Amino acid sequence: KIDGIEVFHPDHSSNYSIELLKFAEENKYNISGGSDFHGWNKNPRLGSFGLSEKYLDQFMDGLFL
């Protein structure tokens, strides 16, 4: 079962994120996002991309359902 999808990501175009957001909302999926950090030597963009407060609150609420 899929509970959520990563809508916001630095490699996603704005249009793609909008499409994913619409899909997630229509299917009641949790919305996530991130900077895709895998270590300082691989990608130093930690914290440079993520969720707005609205989507973070929704994500956190979804963890406890």
Side-chain angles (χ1 to χ4, degrees):
K1 176 182 171 201
I2 296 174
D3 292 326
I5 57 174
E6 187 172 51
V7 171
F8 303 106
H9 186 278
D11 291 339
H12 293 173
S13 69
S14 295
N15 287 337
Y16 187 55
S17 288
I18 290 169
E19 289 177 34
L20 290 173
L21 181 59
K22 182 179 176 185
F23 178 79
E25 289 176 340
E26 288 173 353
N27 292 283
K28 298 183 178 21
Y29 290 150
N30 288 321
I31 295 164
S32 71
S35 59
D36 207 27
F37 182 78
H38 292 278
W40 292 111
N41 60 340
K42 296 180 183 181
N43 185 351
R45 300 183 294 178
L46 177 64
S48 64
F49 211 87
L51 298 174
S52 68
E53 187 174 346
K54 171 188 171 182
Y55 293 118
L56 178 60
D57 288 344
Q58 289 177 0
F59 180 82
M60 296 301 290
D61 289 344
L63 292 177
F64 302 106
L65 291 179

